[in-house]
Amino acid sequence: MVVFGQFLEVLIGGLLAGVLYSLVALGFVLIFKASGVFNFAQGAMVLLAGLALVRSLDFMVARGVPVWAAIVLGLVFAGLIMAISAWLIERFVVGPLVNQDGLTLFMSTIGATFIIEGAAQLIFGSDVYPLRLFPTDAWFLFESAFPGGILVNKLDVWGGLIAGILVTGLAIFFQKTKTGRALRAVADDHAAAQSVGIPISWIWFVVWLVAGLVALVAATVWGTKLGVQFSITFLALKALPVLIIGGFTSVPGAIVGGLLIGAGEKLAEVYLGPFIGGGIEYWFAYVLALAVLLARPQGLFGERIIERI
Amino acid sequence: MIRKTLALAAAAIGMTAIAEPVLAQQNEQFIPLLVYRSGAYAVNGVPYANGVVDYYNLVNERDGGVNGVKLTFEECETAYATDKGVECYERLKGKGPTGAAYVNPLSTGITFALTEKTLADKIPIITMGYGRADSKNGSVFTWNFPLLGTYWSAADIAIQHVAREMGGADKLKGKKISLVYHDSPYGKEPIPALQVLAQKHGFEFTPVPVTHPGVEQKSQWLAIRQNRPDYVLLWGWGVMNGTAIREAAAVAYPRDKMLGVWWSGAEPDVTPAGAESVGYKALMLQHGAQRTPVHADIEKHVYAKGKGITEKDKIGEVLYNRGVVNAMLGVEAIRTAQSKFGKKPLTGEQVRWGYENLNLSAERLKELGFEGMLRPIKITCADHEGARDGRVQQWDGKAWKIISDWYTANQETTEPLVKDVSAKYAAEKKITPRDCAKES
């Protein structure tokens, strides 16, 4: 019973950790789905959003603004910063590269990463800034059945709820709205979309803005977990195997991929790690992703690409 | 004729303009600074680098250099990456009139990569409180100086403290002690010493690796919750430290049963976790977060002239102080070397002699403004560590409080390991150990 309880604890913890990875992966999916660009800058956008939020929050609280009002205003300010950065990226980075191939656009996002990371730290500072938007303690469930109970972290549960709301909202946006359909058309073919009157620069601005807002949401959860600091950019690396498994174009795929990666890596670390030296979860996630690639190159939920030669 | 005279005059002025900086350069001692002001570990790298720079500026501003020889330095960004660290070293080692006086890699990984290069280049490699623990043996590691304490000394001090809390070394038998460590050369370094100590005292030792940079540690802490160790030692750096404290709180592991190494005991390690950090303990590499007369000098001679590099309220923080201490030891090594080789810019080889003969008494430390921060240190050919003392501090939510008396690492435990591992290194690299009895 004890062993089963411990297994359940690791499994639940892994699934919830996976949802937190999905929050970052969603930003990648949005940009890829709408523009065919793999956005290397997503991790940097999480950092920028987090810094804008936490610094403005600290600024207002220090001047006596009530905490609830400071949170609302801080979120608005950070959203505004993400809107400005979306406009700048569209105007100066990806906009001039319309109709270029995917690799060119990808390279441009690498450049954008360095600029965003540098500018964010230059403007908002490079210390560790604590952020407390969600509770970080834990529940201990089923204590009568399992000695010590099953630990479930409240922050992870909040992350899961937020991810659920985000996915629902984004799914509706992509499937049911005119702008969402236009985004998908642009992703299929820039030139064809332009030829039928879709304003590509406006569409790209919208998609980078939405990705920026998703980054802000990820920053609220991860910032609470780690404190807002440069290392938050490394989350992009945790999101990669999630994307490979879920597919680069599927919003629900990002969630399922996150669940599989989270549970897989945690179970592997706890039960397999001690036999092979530990510290395996990082590469184990990529092994899982590789296994999926061998069976389904487009990921579990990705679109199968058929091209006429 | 007039044209010729004017041309000659212009040439003479030009030559003087060029010659002056050249002459000035000839009386400068160059020190390369391998820093990380960006990347995952910048939060810890920045205050350390600021302390180093402020102290060198203090020596130049207050004293006009070391016996009239100005200190010059150039930063190179490593981002804590070994490849970049080696690149920085190669770029800077030949600068200045006599090349690099010494190099501080500020990374155990970079230290491993540079150890053989510095041997070939005859440049001392200073690893204060980090680096290869076996390099304490100066007869084999002529150019390495792990000043003030190696990780094996740290491991011994940590176990001494745990034993004291438990009521004596005999109480360690049958207890469980886990090491949560950064899965890198740095984090792995204390493991051999802890294995020896586990055997000696009869406790169960479990190493728990965390992958760089340490933003995700849920599985490690769930494993700790299941294993229920009596004590957790933390060998982290950067974001890993704060995350470990957070995760410990999440699994309800008591923070006062956690003891970090001296690289896991600075302000950026505890502030992100807020109240969850209260009770967390860490070793001190002698000094803590404090202000002594040297800080007043820095404010008076550097900051008052607008040459300070950080915010004034950061002066005196743990990692800032570590940078100041490191720079001071370097300056005093140069001064010691000047007593033998003359008051002029020195080569790395000459500065190495200065390090090996460095002897700072309590009186001298007081003169330098470090009273209360450091105990006397004496480096010899056989002992490149020089001192192996430490204390324990505890975070109370606002500041670090010193909670122990001084500990001195027990060489009976660590010395056989040093001799064994360094002898293997010497055999592998075909190094003939120096006879320290004949060195002066």
Side-chain angles (χ1 to χ4, degrees), chain B residues 130-168:
Chain B
Y130 65 95
R132 308 178 62 116
D134 53 349
S135 66
K136 182 244 174 196
N137 182 357
S139 69
V140 172
F141 291 90
T142 307
W143 300 89
N144 295 57
F145 291 87
L147 306 176
L148 295 187
T150 66
Y151 290 137
W152 294 349
S153 295
D156 187 76
I157 293 170
I159 296 301
Q160 282 187 49
H161 182 76
V162 173
R164 205 193 72 170
E165 278 195 12
M166 288 182 176

Side-chain angles (χ1 to χ4, degrees), chain B residues 31-182:
Chain B
I31 302 164
L33 300 185
L34 272 56
V35 300
Y36 32 99
R37 292 185 182 275
S38 69
Y41 304 96
V43 172
N44 301 74
V46 169
Y48 186 95
N50 288 344
V52 172
V53 170
D54 276 353
Y55 191 79
Y56 289 151
N57 281 333
L58 170 69
V59 172
N60 283 338
E61 294 297 323
R62 183 190 62 191
D63 311 332
V66 186
N67 291 318
V69 179
K70 277 256 183 192
L71 300 175
T72 57
F73 48 86
E74 183 176 326
E75 289 195 356
C76 183
E77 176 67 40
T78 71
Y80 197 64
T82 300
D83 57 337
K84 285 186 186 170
V86 172
E87 200 180 309
C88 284
Y89 168 77
E90 291 294 346
R91 187 155 69 78
L92 297 179
K93 70 180 183 186
K95 283 211 164 184
T98 53
Y102 51 83
V103 61
N104 287 289
L106 196 51
S107 147
T108 299
I110 301 173
T111 303
F112 273 82
L114 290 185
T115 290
E116 283 163 51
K117 286 179 178 290
T118 53
L119 170 73
D121 297 331
K122 296 187 185 302
I123 294 171
I125 177 166
I126 314 305
T127 57
M128 192 187 86
Y130 65 95
R132 308 178 62 116
D134 53 349
S135 66
K136 182 244 174 196
N137 182 357
S139 69
V140 172
F141 291 90
T142 307
W143 300 89
N144 295 57
F145 291 87
L147 306 176
L148 295 187
T150 66
Y151 290 137
W152 294 349
S153 295
D156 187 76
I157 293 170
I159 296 301
Q160 282 187 49
H161 182 76
V162 173
R164 205 193 72 170
E165 278 195 12
M166 288 182 176
D170 57 316
K171 301 284 192 303
L172 288 172
K173 195 171 174 61
K175 294 285 193 298
K176 289 180 183 174
I177 298 179
S178 291
L179 170 74
V180 176
Y181 68 94
H182 194 271

Side-chain angles (χ1 to χ4, degrees), chain A residues 35 37 94 97 100-109 190 204:
Chain A
S35 61
V37 179
V94 292
L97 298 174
Q100 299 297 315
D101 66 34
L103 191 62
T104 307
L105 288 157
F106 168 65
M107 297 301 282
S108 73
T109 67
H190 303 169
W204 274 8

